[in-house]
PDB file of all heavy atoms in Angstrom:
ATOM      1  N   VAL S  22      -0.605   7.529  10.642  1.00 51.00           N
ATOM      2  CA  VAL S  22       0.835   7.637  10.513  1.00 51.00           C
ATOM      3  C   VAL S  22       1.522   6.566  11.294  1.00 51.00           C
ATOM      4  O   VAL S  22       0.974   6.005  12.226  1.00 51.00           O
ATOM      5  CB  VAL S  22       1.324   9.039  11.016  1.00 51.00           C
ATOM      6  CG1 VAL S  22       0.612  10.140  10.265  1.00 51.00           C
ATOM      7  CG2 VAL S  22       1.093   9.186  12.512  1.00 51.00           C
ATOM      8  N   SER S  23       2.747   6.235  10.884  1.00 54.00           N
ATOM      9  CA  SER S  23       3.569   5.308  11.627  1.00 54.00           C
ATOM     10  C   SER S  23       4.175   6.042  12.806  1.00 54.00           C
ATOM     11  O   SER S  23       4.771   7.115  12.650  1.00 54.00           O
ATOM     12  CB  SER S  23       4.672   4.763  10.687  1.00 54.00           C
ATOM     13  OG  SER S  23       5.600   4.005  11.429  1.00 54.00           O
ATOM     14  N   TYR S  24       4.022   5.493  14.012  1.00 52.00           N
ATOM     15  CA  TYR S  24       4.474   6.188  15.220  1.00 52.00           C
ATOM     16  C   TYR S  24       5.993   6.364  15.248  1.00 52.00           C
ATOM     17  O   TYR S  24       6.501   7.259  15.882  1.00 52.00           O
ATOM     18  CB  TYR S  24       3.984   5.463  16.463  1.00 52.00           C
ATOM     19  CG  TYR S  24       2.505   5.678  16.692  1.00 52.00           C
ATOM     20  CD1 TYR S  24       1.567   4.710  16.366  1.00 52.00           C
ATOM     21  CD2 TYR S  24       2.046   6.903  17.200  1.00 52.00           C
ATOM     22  CE1 TYR S  24       0.204   4.931  16.552  1.00 52.00           C
ATOM     23  CE2 TYR S  24       0.698   7.137  17.387  1.00 52.00           C
ATOM     24  CZ  TYR S  24      -0.210   6.144  17.084  1.00 52.00           C
ATOM     25  OH  TYR S  24      -1.556   6.376  17.247  1.00 52.00           O
ATOM     26  N   ARG S  25       6.729   5.480  14.539  1.00 60.00           N
ATOM     27  CA  ARG S  25       8.172   5.641  14.533  1.00 60.00           C
ATOM     28  C   ARG S  25       8.595   6.854  13.704  1.00 60.00           C
ATOM     29  O   ARG S  25       9.723   7.318  13.807  1.00 60.00           O
ATOM     30  CB  ARG S  25       8.872   4.373  14.025  1.00 60.00           C
ATOM     31  CG  ARG S  25       8.519   3.964  12.613  1.00 60.00           C
ATOM     32  CD  ARG S  25       8.904   2.496  12.353  1.00 60.00           C
ATOM     33  NE  ARG S  25       8.417   2.052  11.071  1.00 60.00           N
ATOM     34  CZ  ARG S  25       9.153   1.995   9.979  1.00 60.00           C
ATOM     35  NH1 ARG S  25      10.384   2.409  10.014  1.00 60.00           N
ATOM     36  NH2 ARG S  25       8.636   1.556   8.857  1.00 60.00           N
ATOM     37  N   HIS S  26       7.666   7.378  12.877  1.00 65.00           N
ATOM     38  CA  HIS S  26       7.953   8.602  12.109  1.00 65.00           C
ATOM     39  C   HIS S  26       7.189   9.800  12.638  1.00 65.00           C
ATOM     40  O   HIS S  26       7.137  10.828  11.970  1.00 65.00           O
ATOM     41  CB  HIS S  26       7.570   8.389  10.635  1.00 65.00           C
ATOM     42  CG  HIS S  26       8.324   7.270   9.961  1.00 65.00           C
ATOM     43  ND1 HIS S  26       9.665   7.054  10.175  1.00 65.00           N
ATOM     44  CD2 HIS S  26       7.902   6.294   9.099  1.00 65.00           C
ATOM     45  CE1 HIS S  26      10.052   5.992   9.446  1.00 65.00           C
ATOM     46  NE2 HIS S  26       9.016   5.523   8.800  1.00 65.00           N
ATOM     47  N   LEU S  27       6.605   9.673  13.825  1.00 70.00           N
ATOM     48  CA  LEU S  27       5.719  10.719  14.333  1.00 70.00           C
ATOM     49  C   LEU S  27       6.451  12.057  14.447  1.00 70.00           C
ATOM     50  O   LEU S  27       5.910  13.113  14.078  1.00 70.00           O
ATOM     51  CB  LEU S  27       5.159  10.304  15.717  1.00 70.00           C
ATOM     52  CG  LEU S  27       4.001  11.176  16.238  1.00 70.00           C
ATOM     53  CD1 LEU S  27       2.850  11.161  15.288  1.00 70.00           C
ATOM     54  CD2 LEU S  27       3.595  10.670  17.605  1.00 70.00           C
ATOM     55  N   LYS S  28       7.687  12.025  14.963  1.00 76.00           N
ATOM     56  CA  LYS S  28       8.451  13.256  15.112  1.00 76.00           C
ATOM     57  C   LYS S  28       8.672  13.939  13.757  1.00 76.00           C
ATOM     58  O   LYS S  28       8.580  15.162  13.630  1.00 76.00           O
ATOM     59  CB  LYS S  28       9.798  12.944  15.768  1.00 76.00           C
ATOM     60  CG  LYS S  28      10.639  14.176  16.082  1.00 76.00           C
ATOM     61  CD  LYS S  28      11.944  13.777  16.778  1.00 76.00           C
ATOM     62  CE  LYS S  28      12.802  14.998  17.040  1.00 76.00           C
ATOM     63  NZ  LYS S  28      14.101  14.626  17.679  1.00 76.00           N
ATOM     64  N   ARG S  29       8.962  13.141  12.734  1.00 76.00           N
ATOM     65  CA  ARG S  29       9.215  13.683  11.379  1.00 76.00           C
ATOM     66  C   ARG S  29       7.929  14.259  10.806  1.00 76.00           C
ATOM     67  O   ARG S  29       7.939  15.317  10.161  1.00 76.00           O
ATOM     68  CB  ARG S  29       9.793  12.588  10.480  1.00 76.00           C
ATOM     69  CG  ARG S  29      10.160  13.058   9.086  1.00 76.00           C
ATOM     70  CD  ARG S  29      11.208  14.171   9.107  1.00 76.00           C
ATOM     71  NE  ARG S  29      11.749  14.433   7.795  1.00 76.00           N
ATOM     72  CZ  ARG S  29      12.304  15.564   7.440  1.00 76.00           C
ATOM     73  NH1 ARG S  29      12.440  16.527   8.313  1.00 76.00           N
ATOM     74  NH2 ARG S  29      12.779  15.715   6.197  1.00 76.00           N
ATOM     75  N   TYR S  30       6.810  13.567  11.032  1.00 76.00           N
ATOM     76  CA  TYR S  30       5.503  14.071  10.553  1.00 76.00           C
ATOM     77  C   TYR S  30       5.228  15.449  11.156  1.00 76.00           C
ATOM     78  O   TYR S  30       4.778  16.371  10.479  1.00 76.00           O
ATOM     79  CB  TYR S  30       4.381  13.117  10.947  1.00 76.00           C
ATOM     80  CG  TYR S  30       4.146  12.006   9.956  1.00 76.00           C
ATOM     81  CD1 TYR S  30       4.436  10.682  10.271  1.00 76.00           C
ATOM     82  CD2 TYR S  30       3.612  12.268   8.697  1.00 76.00           C
ATOM     83  CE1 TYR S  30       4.230   9.659   9.398  1.00 76.00           C
ATOM     84  CE2 TYR S  30       3.369  11.221   7.782  1.00 76.00           C
ATOM     85  CZ  TYR S  30       3.673   9.939   8.143  1.00 76.00           C
ATOM     86  OH  TYR S  30       3.464   8.924   7.253  1.00 76.00           O
ATOM     87  N   LYS S  31       5.503  15.600  12.465  1.00 79.00           N
ATOM     88  CA  LYS S  31       5.251  16.872  13.127  1.00 79.00           C
ATOM     89  C   LYS S  31       6.108  17.996  12.517  1.00 79.00           C
ATOM     90  O   LYS S  31       5.654  19.113  12.328  1.00 79.00           O
ATOM     91  CB  LYS S  31       5.551  16.746  14.628  1.00 79.00           C
ATOM     92  CG  LYS S  31       4.540  15.942  15.397  1.00 79.00           C
ATOM     93  CD  LYS S  31       4.921  15.866  16.871  1.00 79.00           C
ATOM     94  CE  LYS S  31       3.886  15.077  17.661  1.00 79.00           C
ATOM     95  NZ  LYS S  31       4.244  14.981  19.096  1.00 79.00           N
ATOM     96  N   GLU S  32       7.362  17.636  12.206  1.00 81.00           N
ATOM     97  CA  GLU S  32       8.271  18.615  11.604  1.00 81.00           C
ATOM     98  C   GLU S  32       7.766  19.040  10.233  1.00 81.00           C
ATOM     99  O   GLU S  32       7.794  20.215   9.876  1.00 81.00           O
ATOM    100  CB  GLU S  32       9.674  18.019  11.508  1.00 81.00           C
ATOM    101  CG  GLU S  32      10.714  19.039  11.040  1.00 81.00           C
ATOM    102  CD  GLU S  32      12.117  18.431  10.961  1.00 81.00           C
ATOM    103  OE1 GLU S  32      12.265  17.217  11.166  1.00 81.00           O
ATOM    104  OE2 GLU S  32      13.055  19.168  10.657  1.00 81.00           O
ATOM    105  N   ILE S  33       7.314  18.050   9.425  1.00 80.00           N
ATOM    106  CA  ILE S  33       6.800  18.343   8.075  1.00 80.00           C
ATOM    107  C   ILE S  33       5.576  19.267   8.167  1.00 80.00           C
ATOM    108  O   ILE S  33       5.471  20.259   7.437  1.00 80.00           O
ATOM    109  CB  ILE S  33       6.461  17.047   7.324  1.00 80.00           C
ATOM    110  CG1 ILE S  33       7.752  16.269   6.991  1.00 80.00           C
ATOM    111  CG2 ILE S  33       5.670  17.334   6.056  1.00 80.00           C
ATOM    112  CD1 ILE S  33       7.526  14.886   6.464  1.00 80.00           C
ATOM    113  N   VAL S  34       4.658  18.927   9.076  1.00 79.00           N
ATOM    114  CA  VAL S  34       3.435  19.720   9.242  1.00 79.00           C
ATOM    115  C   VAL S  34       3.792  21.153   9.681  1.00 79.00           C
ATOM    116  O   VAL S  34       3.245  22.128   9.171  1.00 79.00           O
ATOM    117  CB  VAL S  34       2.488  19.049  10.265  1.00 79.00           C
ATOM    118  CG1 VAL S  34       1.369  20.004  10.650  1.00 79.00           C
ATOM    119  CG2 VAL S  34       1.895  17.778   9.668  1.00 79.00           C
ATOM    120  N   ARG S  35       4.738  21.257  10.618  1.00 82.00           N
ATOM    121  CA  ARG S  35       5.133  22.585  11.128  1.00 82.00           C
ATOM    122  C   ARG S  35       5.679  23.470   9.977  1.00 82.00           C
ATOM    123  O   ARG S  35       5.308  24.641   9.855  1.00 82.00           O
ATOM    124  CB  ARG S  35       6.194  22.432  12.224  1.00 82.00           C
ATOM    125  CG  ARG S  35       6.706  23.762  12.771  1.00 82.00           C
ATOM    126  CD  ARG S  35       7.822  23.540  13.771  1.00 82.00           C
ATOM    127  NE  ARG S  35       8.987  22.928  13.179  1.00 82.00           N
ATOM    128  CZ  ARG S  35       9.881  23.557  12.423  1.00 82.00           C
ATOM    129  NH1 ARG S  35       9.734  24.861  12.161  1.00 82.00           N
ATOM    130  NH2 ARG S  35      10.923  22.908  11.940  1.00 82.00           N
ATOM    131  N   ILE S  36       6.518  22.864   9.141  1.00 82.00           N
ATOM    132  CA  ILE S  36       7.134  23.634   8.032  1.00 82.00           C
ATOM    133  C   ILE S  36       6.100  23.995   6.972  1.00 82.00           C
ATOM    134  O   ILE S  36       6.087  25.111   6.434  1.00 82.00           O
ATOM    135  CB  ILE S  36       8.318  22.860   7.446  1.00 82.00           C
ATOM    136  CG1 ILE S  36       9.465  22.792   8.475  1.00 82.00           C
ATOM    137  CG2 ILE S  36       8.828  23.517   6.160  1.00 82.00           C
ATOM    138  CD1 ILE S  36      10.600  21.887   8.095  1.00 82.00           C
ATOM    139  N   LEU S  37       5.181  23.042   6.684  1.00 78.00           N
ATOM    140  CA  LEU S  37       4.120  23.329   5.720  1.00 78.00           C
ATOM    141  C   LEU S  37       3.251  24.490   6.197  1.00 78.00           C
ATOM    142  O   LEU S  37       2.885  25.374   5.414  1.00 78.00           O
ATOM    143  CB  LEU S  37       3.258  22.077   5.482  1.00 78.00           C
ATOM    144  CG  LEU S  37       3.894  20.946   4.663  1.00 78.00           C
ATOM    145  CD1 LEU S  37       2.961  19.733   4.619  1.00 78.00           C
ATOM    146  CD2 LEU S  37       4.217  21.403   3.246  1.00 78.00           C
ATOM    147  N   LEU S  38       2.930  24.479   7.493  1.00 79.00           N
ATOM    148  CA  LEU S  38       2.114  25.555   8.049  1.00 79.00           C
ATOM    149  C   LEU S  38       2.875  26.884   8.049  1.00 79.00           C
ATOM    150  O   LEU S  38       2.312  27.958   7.758  1.00 79.00           O
ATOM    151  CB  LEU S  38       1.687  25.218   9.488  1.00 79.00           C
ATOM    152  CG  LEU S  38       0.709  24.038   9.629  1.00 79.00           C
ATOM    153  CD1 LEU S  38       0.450  23.753  11.096  1.00 79.00           C
ATOM    154  CD2 LEU S  38      -0.597  24.313   8.905  1.00 79.00           C
ATOM    155  N   LYS S  39       4.167  26.800   8.341  1.00 81.00           N
ATOM    156  CA  LYS S  39       4.994  28.001   8.396  1.00 81.00           C
ATOM    157  C   LYS S  39       4.980  28.736   7.069  1.00 81.00           C
ATOM    158  O   LYS S  39       4.948  29.966   7.016  1.00 81.00           O
ATOM    159  CB  LYS S  39       6.439  27.618   8.760  1.00 81.00           C
ATOM    160  CG  LYS S  39       7.425  28.768   8.720  1.00 81.00           C
ATOM    161  CD  LYS S  39       8.829  28.327   9.064  1.00 81.00           C
ATOM    162  CE  LYS S  39       9.847  29.444   8.892  1.00 81.00           C
ATOM    163  NZ  LYS S  39      11.226  29.011   9.187  1.00 81.00           N
ATOM    164  N   TYR S  40       5.002  27.965   5.943  1.00 78.00           N
ATOM    165  CA  TYR S  40       5.066  28.596   4.615  1.00 78.00           C
ATOM    166  C   TYR S  40       3.706  28.678   3.946  1.00 78.00           C
ATOM    167  O   TYR S  40       3.631  28.808   2.715  1.00 78.00           O
ATOM    168  CB  TYR S  40       6.076  27.839   3.754  1.00 78.00           C
ATOM    169  CG  TYR S  40       7.504  28.149   4.175  1.00 78.00           C
ATOM    170  CD1 TYR S  40       8.206  27.248   4.974  1.00 78.00           C
ATOM    171  CD2 TYR S  40       8.115  29.322   3.811  1.00 78.00           C
ATOM    172  CE1 TYR S  40       9.512  27.542   5.395  1.00 78.00           C
ATOM    173  CE2 TYR S  40       9.397  29.617   4.218  1.00 78.00           C
ATOM    174  CZ  TYR S  40      10.092  28.722   5.016  1.00 78.00           C
ATOM    175  OH  TYR S  40      11.359  29.020   5.432  1.00 78.00           O
ATOM    176  N   GLY S  41       2.656  28.602   4.752  1.00 74.00           N
ATOM    177  CA  GLY S  41       1.326  28.892   4.220  1.00 74.00           C
ATOM    178  C   GLY S  41       0.678  27.787   3.431  1.00 74.00           C
ATOM    179  O   GLY S  41      -0.238  28.018   2.647  1.00 74.00           O
ATOM    180  N   PHE S  42       1.095  26.510   3.667  1.00 70.00           N
ATOM    181  CA  PHE S  42       0.480  25.382   2.989  1.00 70.00           C
ATOM    182  C   PHE S  42      -0.500  24.666   3.919  1.00 70.00           C
ATOM    183  O   PHE S  42      -0.557  23.437   3.950  1.00 70.00           O
ATOM    184  CB  PHE S  42       1.552  24.408   2.476  1.00 70.00           C
ATOM    185  CG  PHE S  42       2.442  24.991   1.432  1.00 70.00           C
ATOM    186  CD1 PHE S  42       3.779  25.232   1.700  1.00 70.00           C
ATOM    187  CD2 PHE S  42       1.969  25.328   0.189  1.00 70.00           C
ATOM    188  CE1 PHE S  42       4.627  25.784   0.741  1.00 70.00           C
ATOM    189  CE2 PHE S  42       2.802  25.880  -0.803  1.00 70.00           C
ATOM    190  CZ  PHE S  42       4.118  26.100  -0.507  1.00 70.00           C
ATOM    191  N   SER S  43      -1.270  25.444   4.694  1.00 63.00           N
ATOM    192  CA  SER S  43      -2.206  24.848   5.659  1.00 63.00           C
ATOM    193  C   SER S  43      -3.273  24.018   4.972  1.00 63.00           C
ATOM    194  O   SER S  43      -3.760  23.024   5.544  1.00 63.00           O
ATOM    195  CB  SER S  43      -2.872  25.956   6.479  1.00 63.00           C
ATOM    196  OG  SER S  43      -3.522  26.889   5.637  1.00 63.00           O
ATOM    197  N   ILE S  44      -3.644  24.377   3.735  1.00 56.00           N
ATOM    198  CA  ILE S  44      -4.681  23.629   3.020  1.00 56.00           C
ATOM    199  C   ILE S  44      -4.255  22.171   2.817  1.00 56.00           C
ATOM    200  O   ILE S  44      -5.054  21.252   2.899  1.00 56.00           O
ATOM    201  CB  ILE S  44      -4.990  24.293   1.652  1.00 56.00           C
ATOM    202  CG1 ILE S  44      -6.135  23.592   0.941  1.00 56.00           C
ATOM    203  CG2 ILE S  44      -3.780  24.320   0.759  1.00 56.00           C
ATOM    204  CD1 ILE S  44      -7.455  23.718   1.623  1.00 56.00           C
ATOM    205  N   ILE S  45      -2.928  21.946   2.603  1.00 60.00           N
ATOM    206  CA  ILE S  45      -2.425  20.575   2.404  1.00 60.00           C
ATOM    207  C   ILE S  45      -2.568  19.808   3.716  1.00 60.00           C
ATOM    208  O   ILE S  45      -2.995  18.654   3.732  1.00 60.00           O
ATOM    209  CB  ILE S  45      -0.959  20.617   1.958  1.00 60.00           C
ATOM    210  CG1 ILE S  45      -0.837  21.289   0.592  1.00 60.00           C
ATOM    211  CG2 ILE S  45      -0.361  19.199   1.912  1.00 60.00           C
ATOM    212  CD1 ILE S  45       0.590  21.416   0.096  1.00 60.00           C
ATOM    213  N   VAL S  46      -2.221  20.452   4.837  1.00 60.00           N
ATOM    214  CA  VAL S  46      -2.314  19.794   6.146  1.00 60.00           C
ATOM    215  C   VAL S  46      -3.762  19.443   6.444  1.00 60.00           C
ATOM    216  O   VAL S  46      -4.063  18.331   6.919  1.00 60.00           O
ATOM    217  CB  VAL S  46      -1.757  20.717   7.264  1.00 60.00           C
ATOM    218  CG1 VAL S  46      -1.940  20.081   8.618  1.00 60.00           C
ATOM    219  CG2 VAL S  46      -0.286  21.007   7.011  1.00 60.00           C
ATOM    220  N   GLU S  47      -4.679  20.351   6.145  1.00 57.00           N
ATOM    221  CA  GLU S  47      -6.105  20.090   6.396  1.00 57.00           C
ATOM    222  C   GLU S  47      -6.611  18.928   5.574  1.00 57.00           C
ATOM    223  O   GLU S  47      -7.345  18.069   6.054  1.00 57.00           O
ATOM    224  CB  GLU S  47      -6.922  21.359   6.075  1.00 57.00           C
ATOM    225  CG  GLU S  47      -6.679  22.496   7.061  1.00 57.00           C
ATOM    226  CD  GLU S  47      -7.314  23.797   6.567  1.00 57.00           C
ATOM    227  OE1 GLU S  47      -7.937  23.782   5.492  1.00 57.00           O
ATOM    228  OE2 GLU S  47      -7.180  24.801   7.269  1.00 57.00           O
ATOM    229  N   LYS S  48      -6.198  18.892   4.293  1.00 54.00           N
ATOM    230  CA  LYS S  48      -6.688  17.822   3.398  1.00 54.00           C
ATOM    231  C   LYS S  48      -6.084  16.481   3.754  1.00 54.00           C
ATOM    232  O   LYS S  48      -6.733  15.430   3.639  1.00 54.00           O
ATOM    233  CB  LYS S  48      -6.348  18.155   1.937  1.00 54.00           C
ATOM    234  CG  LYS S  48      -7.018  19.435   1.400  1.00 54.00           C
ATOM    235  CD  LYS S  48      -8.520  19.407   1.554  1.00 54.00           C
ATOM    236  CE  LYS S  48      -9.145  20.675   0.998  1.00 54.00           C
ATOM    237  NZ  LYS S  48     -10.587  20.715   1.243  1.00 54.00           N
ATOM    238  N   LEU S  49      -4.814  16.474   4.211  1.00 56.00           N
ATOM    239  CA  LEU S  49      -4.179  15.217   4.590  1.00 56.00           C
ATOM    240  C   LEU S  49      -4.786  14.643   5.853  1.00 56.00           C
ATOM    241  O   LEU S  49      -4.849  13.430   6.029  1.00 56.00           O
ATOM    242  CB  LEU S  49      -2.670  15.414   4.773  1.00 56.00           C
ATOM    243  CG  LEU S  49      -1.869  15.675   3.499  1.00 56.00           C
ATOM    244  CD1 LEU S  49      -0.405  15.933   3.839  1.00 56.00           C
ATOM    245  CD2 LEU S  49      -1.967  14.523   2.541  1.00 56.00           C
ATOM    246  N   ASN S  50      -5.212  15.532   6.775  1.00 54.00           N
ATOM    247  CA  ASN S  50      -5.822  15.088   8.031  1.00 54.00           C
ATOM    248  C   ASN S  50      -4.970  14.037   8.719  1.00 54.00           C
ATOM    249  O   ASN S  50      -5.403  12.914   8.990  1.00 54.00           O
ATOM    250  CB  ASN S  50      -7.239  14.537   7.757  1.00 54.00           C
ATOM    251  CG  ASN S  50      -7.972  14.267   9.073  1.00 54.00           C
ATOM    252  OD1 ASN S  50      -7.673  14.890  10.084  1.00 54.00           O
ATOM    253  ND2 ASN S  50      -8.933  13.352   9.025  1.00 54.00           N
ATOM    254  N   ILE S  51      -3.720  14.402   9.017  1.00 51.00           N
ATOM    255  CA  ILE S  51      -2.792  13.451   9.633  1.00 51.00           C
ATOM    256  C   ILE S  51      -3.156  13.234  11.103  1.00 51.00           C
ATOM    257  O   ILE S  51      -2.982  14.105  11.943  1.00 51.00           O
ATOM    258  CB  ILE S  51      -1.327  13.955   9.519  1.00 51.00           C
ATOM    259  CG1 ILE S  51      -1.011  14.245   8.064  1.00 51.00           C
ATOM    260  CG2 ILE S  51      -0.360  12.963  10.096  1.00 51.00           C
ATOM    261  CD1 ILE S  51       0.348  14.853   7.839  1.00 51.00           C
ATOM    262  N   GLU S  52      -3.676  12.053  11.437  1.00 48.00           N
ATOM    263  CA  GLU S  52      -4.118  11.749  12.777  1.00 48.00           C
ATOM    264  C   GLU S  52      -2.962  11.784  13.747  1.00 48.00           C
ATOM    265  O   GLU S  52      -1.891  11.237  13.505  1.00 48.00           O
ATOM    266  CB  GLU S  52      -4.785  10.365  12.821  1.00 48.00           C
ATOM    267  CG  GLU S  52      -6.055  10.306  11.959  1.00 48.00           C
ATOM    268  CD  GLU S  52      -6.615   8.902  11.917  1.00 48.00           C
ATOM    269  OE1 GLU S  52      -6.186   8.061  12.712  1.00 48.00           O
ATOM    270  OE2 GLU S  52      -7.525   8.662  11.107  1.00 48.00           O
ATOM    271  N   GLY S  53      -3.192  12.385  14.882  1.00 48.00           N
ATOM    272  CA  GLY S  53      -2.171  12.404  15.913  1.00 48.00           C
ATOM    273  C   GLY S  53      -1.123  13.476  15.718  1.00 48.00           C
ATOM    274  O   GLY S  53      -0.194  13.608  16.506  1.00 48.00           O
ATOM    275  N   VAL S  54      -1.236  14.251  14.641  1.00 48.00           N
ATOM    276  CA  VAL S  54      -0.203  15.259  14.341  1.00 48.00           C
ATOM    277  C   VAL S  54      -0.858  16.627  14.119  1.00 48.00           C
ATOM    278  O   VAL S  54      -0.584  17.574  14.841  1.00 48.00           O
ATOM    279  CB  VAL S  54       0.651  14.879  13.116  1.00 48.00           C
ATOM    280  CG1 VAL S  54       1.654  15.962  12.809  1.00 48.00           C
ATOM    281  CG2 VAL S  54       1.375  13.568  13.383  1.00 48.00           C
ATOM    282  N   ALA S  55      -1.688  16.702  13.092  1.00 47.00           N
ATOM    283  CA  ALA S  55      -2.199  17.989  12.626  1.00 47.00           C
ATOM    284  C   ALA S  55      -2.979  18.720  13.718  1.00 47.00           C
ATOM    285  O   ALA S  55      -2.831  19.933  13.913  1.00 47.00           O
ATOM    286  CB  ALA S  55      -3.070  17.813  11.401  1.00 47.00           C
ATOM    287  N   TYR S  56      -3.815  17.983  14.446  1.00 46.00           N
ATOM    288  CA  TYR S  56      -4.670  18.673  15.414  1.00 46.00           C
ATOM    289  C   TYR S  56      -3.867  19.203  16.604  1.00 46.00           C
ATOM    290  O   TYR S  56      -4.357  20.059  17.349  1.00 46.00           O
ATOM    291  CB  TYR S  56      -5.771  17.740  15.902  1.00 46.00           C
ATOM    292  CG  TYR S  56      -5.323  16.667  16.879  1.00 46.00           C
ATOM    293  CD1 TYR S  56      -5.342  16.905  18.253  1.00 46.00           C
ATOM    294  CD2 TYR S  56      -4.881  15.423  16.429  1.00 46.00           C
ATOM    295  CE1 TYR S  56      -4.917  15.923  19.137  1.00 46.00           C
ATOM    296  CE2 TYR S  56      -4.452  14.462  17.306  1.00 46.00           C
ATOM    297  CZ  TYR S  56      -4.487  14.709  18.676  1.00 46.00           C
ATOM    298  OH  TYR S  56      -4.085  13.754  19.547  1.00 46.00           O
ATOM    299  N   LYS S  57      -2.664  18.747  16.815  1.00 51.00           N
ATOM    300  CA  LYS S  57      -1.827  19.210  17.914  1.00 51.00           C
ATOM    301  C   LYS S  57      -1.073  20.474  17.579  1.00 51.00           C
ATOM    302  O   LYS S  57      -0.487  21.113  18.435  1.00 51.00           O
ATOM    303  CB  LYS S  57      -0.835  18.107  18.333  1.00 51.00           C
ATOM    304  CG  LYS S  57      -1.496  16.882  18.955  1.00 51.00           C
ATOM    305  CD  LYS S  57      -0.469  15.880  19.417  1.00 51.00           C
ATOM    306  CE  LYS S  57      -1.132  14.662  20.052  1.00 51.00           C
ATOM    307  NZ  LYS S  57      -0.130  13.674  20.507  1.00 51.00           N
ATOM    308  N   ILE S  58      -1.029  20.823  16.280  1.00 50.00           N
ATOM    309  CA  ILE S  58      -0.292  22.014  15.858  1.00 50.00           C
ATOM    310  C   ILE S  58      -1.279  23.046  15.374  1.00 50.00           C
ATOM    311  O   ILE S  58      -2.003  22.826  14.415  1.00 50.00           O
ATOM    312  CB  ILE S  58       0.708  21.663  14.738  1.00 50.00           C
ATOM    313  CG1 ILE S  58       1.678  20.610  15.221  1.00 50.00           C
ATOM    314  CG2 ILE S  58       1.450  22.918  14.267  1.00 50.00           C
ATOM    315  CD1 ILE S  58       2.653  20.145  14.185  1.00 50.00           C
ATOM    316  N   PRO S  59      -1.413  24.191  16.068  1.00 52.00           N
ATOM    317  CA  PRO S  59      -2.394  25.192  15.664  1.00 52.00           C
ATOM    318  C   PRO S  59      -2.101  25.760  14.270  1.00 52.00           C
ATOM    319  O   PRO S  59      -0.956  26.010  13.936  1.00 52.00           O
ATOM    320  CB  PRO S  59      -2.244  26.295  16.741  1.00 52.00           C
ATOM    321  CG  PRO S  59      -0.851  26.109  17.260  1.00 52.00           C
ATOM    322  CD  PRO S  59      -0.564  24.642  17.184  1.00 52.00           C
ATOM    323  N   ILE S  60      -3.139  25.926  13.492  1.00 53.00           N
ATOM    324  CA  ILE S  60      -2.993  26.467  12.150  1.00 53.00           C
ATOM    325  C   ILE S  60      -3.063  27.999  12.254  1.00 53.00           C
ATOM    326  O   ILE S  60      -4.088  28.569  12.606  1.00 53.00           O
ATOM    327  CB  ILE S  60      -4.086  25.952  11.194  1.00 53.00           C
ATOM    328  CG1 ILE S  60      -3.944  24.426  11.020  1.00 53.00           C
ATOM    329  CG2 ILE S  60      -4.046  26.678   9.856  1.00 53.00           C
ATOM    330  CD1 ILE S  60      -4.949  23.825  10.101  1.00 53.00           C
ATOM    331  N   THR S  61      -1.952  28.643  12.005  1.00 57.00           N
ATOM    332  CA  THR S  61      -1.843  30.097  12.109  1.00 57.00           C
ATOM    333  C   THR S  61      -1.494  30.702  10.754  1.00 57.00           C
ATOM    334  O   THR S  61      -0.957  30.015   9.913  1.00 57.00           O
ATOM    335  CB  THR S  61      -0.771  30.488  13.152  1.00 57.00           C
ATOM    336  OG1 THR S  61       0.469  29.904  12.742  1.00 57.00           O
ATOM    337  CG2 THR S  61      -1.157  30.005  14.537  1.00 57.00           C
ATOM    338  N   ASN S  62      -1.803  31.965  10.631  1.00 63.00           N
ATOM    339  CA  ASN S  62      -1.448  32.663   9.396  1.00 63.00           C
ATOM    340  C   ASN S  62       0.060  32.906   9.336  1.00 63.00           C
ATOM    341  O   ASN S  62       0.648  33.329  10.323  1.00 63.00           O
ATOM    342  CB  ASN S  62      -2.198  33.991   9.312  1.00 63.00           C
ATOM    343  CG  ASN S  62      -3.646  33.786   9.000  1.00 63.00           C
ATOM    344  OD1 ASN S  62      -4.014  32.863   8.269  1.00 63.00           O
ATOM    345  ND2 ASN S  62      -4.499  34.650   9.561  1.00 63.00           N
TER     346      ASN S  62
END
């Protein structure tokens, strides 16, 4: 990811996880973002 968009990437990942799209986050494997946000049901 581009570090200047890091904050936005985190927000996108958070919302995707919130609405149950964790499979997308796992498949994208966004370095520096996904692993910092726990995947919860």
Side-chain angles (χ1 to χ4, degrees):
V22 304
S23 171
Y24 285 102
R25 61 197 173 98
H26 299 319
L27 192 59
K28 184 178 178 182
R29 184 59 169 157
Y30 274 111
K31 287 181 179 179
E32 186 180 5
I33 291 170
V34 168
R35 178 184 64 77
I36 292 171
L37 287 176
L38 293 177
K39 174 182 175 181
Y40 287 100
F42 295 112
S43 57
I44 185 67
I45 297 177
V46 176
E47 291 170 0
K48 298 304 182 186
L49 289 177
N50 189 25
I51 305 175
E52 296 175 12
V54 177
Y56 74 91
K57 292 183 179 180
I58 301 177
I60 296 180
T61 57
N62 286 326

